[in-house]
Amino acid sequence: MQLGALLTRLSDETDAATALDALGDVVLLAQIQALGDEHDETPGEYVANASRRYAALASDEDWLALMTAIERAEDPGRAVIGKMLRWAIARDTAPAPVAGGCSCGSGGCDGHS
């Protein structure tokens, strides 16, 4: 599957939830459930929004790391999803520069689209 097609599929909450289940990482799932609760999102919504934020906000270094992970992975799709989710979790759990900030970049997030 091409990266663009994967990102498109992840934008659908149902496909995103299925992808999350396929990872089989209970620690990652627990983190996503907790962060989703904070942002009033289901796990599927969190995954879908995390992939959108990655596509829009990831640095060149983040993309290079992603491409390297894809090249080295037995399952490139799982590598992409895992990398994007861990990136989003790191941003969402980092101290916000302004009150109420999240990784969507809005600075005062009141939800995601």
Side-chain angles (χ1 to χ4, degrees), residues 15-41:
D15 288 341
T18 301
L20 178 60
D21 287 340
L23 287 177
D25 187 331
V26 295
V27 173
L28 187 62
L29 176 59
Q31 291 175 311
I32 289 168
Q33 286 175 326
L35 287 168
D37 288 346
E38 284 182 32
H39 298 287
D40 197 28
E41 297 173 320

Side-chain angles (χ1 to χ4, degrees), residues 5-91:
L6 178 60
L7 290 173
T8 300
R9 299 258 335 252
L10 288 175
S11 69
D12 177 82
E13 179 187 348
T14 303
D15 288 341
T18 301
L20 178 60
D21 287 340
L23 287 177
D25 187 331
V26 295
V27 173
L28 187 62
L29 176 59
Q31 291 175 311
I32 289 168
Q33 286 175 326
L35 287 168
D37 288 346
E38 284 182 32
H39 298 287
D40 197 28
E41 297 173 320
T42 66
E45 287 172 323
Y46 185 87
V47 173
N49 289 326
S51 68
R52 287 185 199 108
R53 292 191 307 269
Y54 192 95
L57 302 171
S59 69
D60 290 343
E61 291 81 17
D62 294 323
W63 282 101
L64 180 59
L66 180 66
M67 293 302 118
T68 301
I70 290 170
E71 288 177 358
R72 294 182 180 169
E74 285 185 35
D75 185 343
R78 290 177 97 163
V80 168
I81 296 164
K83 200 84 161 140
M84 287 182 171
L85 290 175
R86 286 179 180 83
W87 174 90
I89 289 168
R91 289 181 58 111

